[in-house]
Amino acid sequence: MSQSLDTLVVHAGESDQRIDGAVRLPIFQTAMFAHDDRPLRYIRYNNTPNQEIINAKVAAIEGAEAALVTGSGMTAISGALLSVLKPGDHLLAQDRLYGGTHSFATSLLADFDIAYSFVDADQPDSWEDSLRPNTRAFYVESLTNPLLEVCDLEAVVAFARANSLVSLIDNTFASPCNFKAAAFGFDLSLHSATKYLNGHSDIVAGAMAGRADLVAGVKRTLTHLGGALDPNACFLLNRGLQSLALRMRAHNENALALAQFLEGHPAVSKVNYPGLLSHPRHARAARLFDGFGGMISIELRGGLPAAERLIARLQLPLFAPSLGGIESLVTRPAMSSHASLTPEERAQAGIKDDLVRISVGIEASGDLIDDFRQALA
Ligand code: PLP
């Protein structure tokens, strides 16, 4: 019997052990377990009870063969790339990546003798030119940070299959509620679980879901590199995951309402949100996604001074980096997520200094709109 996501987040992977009658599986705050007839269990091996609940739950909600929880989103991303790619290999990657992934590619891959080419992931006709005999993987994001672009995800999967490439997607911004990347055909779907999967801004964690052979390969790589999530953080992540479906509905609804309000405001010159009819890839987003997510970015007619004034005057959203929590946040990507890029790289990626990114929380949308109205006045 297939179950809906609302049910899966609550029940999938949960243990039926009722230790002393406990409804919740306790935190197994132990590094190792006594020998028995099972393989050796140890936190770094990613096979302890609090980790295994999440591995099973994330696989179920992504509709994937297997999943793995990791110590951070960057552990999932770097572990996946270093497992899929070997010395001498070449990576095709979307040119608009999260800053940390971008700088991992540009500053670290060469140390492993791995080459890369950035491509416009919305121009499938251009990809062939960057393909090399040693190209092994294609890496994209479901919604780009911070411009909320939706690249040609269907073409990425088809191109990867046609050229025997492993397709990887950072699905952090969409979450499995809005886009089931693994079920859609991506070989590996990666998450900063720090964001929506946990949803409460209180841990750093990562996760991936996809083909069982690839997930097993990453697990092997990370057994050497470390980067496992500790049991206490796993407990918190599982608790967050159980309200993911509810929270994402609120993020989707609030962000759409706020984006529509901002689009109609005279002080705002540009709103990037895939749920708006004005978004250049709205039709694609509506076809592929079950919701448009909680992230918006805007430009103001008054440029950087106006952006700074807006941020200072907002009362509900905190001025802070990161995203995907229950509380609304605002930041300027040029000084946070994309600070590691050079000004030239940022300009090339279309990230202006005055761009304001909003992580829309689950507060009442009317209160958020009122707050933006007074701050923009
Ligand atoms: N992917 C995206 C889209 C992100 O926004 C981030 C962090 O901001 C990461 C990956 C990295 O995740 P973490 O900070 O959990 O390592």
Side-chain angles (χ1 to χ4, degrees):
M1 187 181 65
S2 79
Q3 292 178 328
S4 85
L5 201 101
D6 297 67
T7 307
L8 291 174
V9 290
V10 177
H11 293 290
E14 292 293 324
S15 165
D16 53 12
Q17 292 180 57
R18 296 279 174 252
I19 296 164
D20 213 13
V23 171
R24 308 292 306 181
L25 187 76
I27 302 169
F28 284 82
Q29 196 65 56
T30 175
M32 72 292 265
F33 289 72
H35 289 294
D36 57 15
D37 52 3
R38 285 172 287 189
L40 197 147
R41 286 184 299 159
Y42 186 61
I43 291 174
R44 181 165 47 79
Y45 292 0
N46 213 319
N47 59 1
T48 65
N50 296 106
Q51 292 166 323
E52 285 190 332
I53 290 184
I54 300 170
N55 294 341
K57 183 164 297 186
V58 172
I61 64 180
E62 276 267 7
E65 289 173 7
L68 193 70
V69 62
T70 60
S72 70
M74 282 312 299
T75 307
I77 292 165
S78 57
L81 289 173
L82 294 178
S83 162
V84 165
L85 300 166
K86 305 289 170 234
D89 284 351
H90 170 252
L91 169 72
L92 282 187
Q94 183 171 14
D95 53 4
R96 308 278 174 98
L97 292 177
Y98 160 64
T101 311
H102 183 277
S103 60
F104 175 75
T106 55
S107 63
L108 225 74
L109 280 183
D111 293 354
F112 296 89
D113 191 24
I114 296 167
Y116 62 87
S117 303
F118 287 128
V119 294
D120 182 340
D122 206 22
Q123 295 295 331
D125 292 347
S126 68
W127 302 342
E128 195 81 41
D129 290 345
S130 301
L131 202 62
R132 301 183 192 170
N134 57 341
T135 309
R136 294 281 170 266
F138 197 167
Y139 185 104
V140 296
E141 296 183 356
S142 48
L143 279 162
T144 63
N145 177 15
L147 296 175
L148 288 316
E149 292 164 329
V150 186
C151 76
D152 197 340
L153 300 172
E154 288 155 312
V156 171
V157 170
F159 186 85
R161 288 202 175 143
N163 293 287
S164 305
L165 311 180
V166 174
S167 53
L168 303 105
I169 184 167
D170 182 332
N171 198 23
T172 300
F173 269 43
S175 94
C177 293
N178 289 342
F179 186 56
K180 285 169 199 61
F184 182 82
F186 279 95
D187 294 316
L188 277 179
S189 169
L190 310 167
H191 291 275
S192 168
T194 312
K195 317 296 195 283
Y196 290 109
L197 295 191
N198 179 57
H200 292 75
S201 311
D202 49 12
I203 57 166
V204 166
M208 75 191 66
R211 269 171 42 192
D213 60 325
L214 296 175
V215 172
V218 184
K219 190 171 174 182
R220 254 193 321 275
T221 300
L222 291 179
T223 298
H224 297 294
L225 297 180
L229 195 66
D230 74 89
N232 188 51
C234 285
F235 180 88
L236 289 172
L237 175 55
N238 188 47
R239 189 163 70 178
L241 274 167
Q242 289 184 302
S243 62
L244 177 69
L246 266 181
R247 285 186 286 106
M248 284 315 297
R249 269 200 289 280
H251 289 298
N252 290 339
E253 286 170 18
N254 282 358
L256 181 60
L258 183 61
Q260 285 167 340
F261 164 77
L262 291 169
E263 191 170 46
H265 197 287
V268 179
S269 54
K270 185 152 192 234
V271 181
N272 302 307
Y273 186 67
L276 294 176
L277 294 174
S278 59
H279 187 283
R281 295 296 178 210
H282 172 71
R284 176 184 292 156
R287 192 173 70 248
L288 300 182
F289 299 160
D290 292 326
F292 301 108
M295 300 302 298
I296 304 174
S297 59
I298 59 171
E299 289 170 25
L300 300 178
R301 291 196 199 288
L304 187 56
E308 285 175 337
R309 266 199 312 277
L310 168 71
I311 288 169
R313 288 180 185 171
L314 282 168
Q315 306 206 327
L316 281 177
L318 199 70
F319 180 38
S322 200
L323 61 119
I326 51 174
E327 68 285 289
S328 295
L329 303 175
V330 287
T331 188
R332 284 199 298 108
M335 56 164 292
S336 54
S337 59
H338 291 70
S340 58
L341 272 63
T342 63
E344 295 72 33
E345 286 172 329
R346 275 199 299 276
Q348 209 172 22
I351 300 165
K352 299 186 181 160
D353 279 355
D354 62 328
L355 186 78
V356 176
R357 193 188 72 183
I358 310 161
S359 173
V360 184
I362 65 167
E363 303 93 338
S365 61
D367 291 340
L368 285 171
I369 289 171
D370 284 349
D371 194 22
F372 274 85
R373 185 183 290 111
Q374 68 76 22
L376 286 167

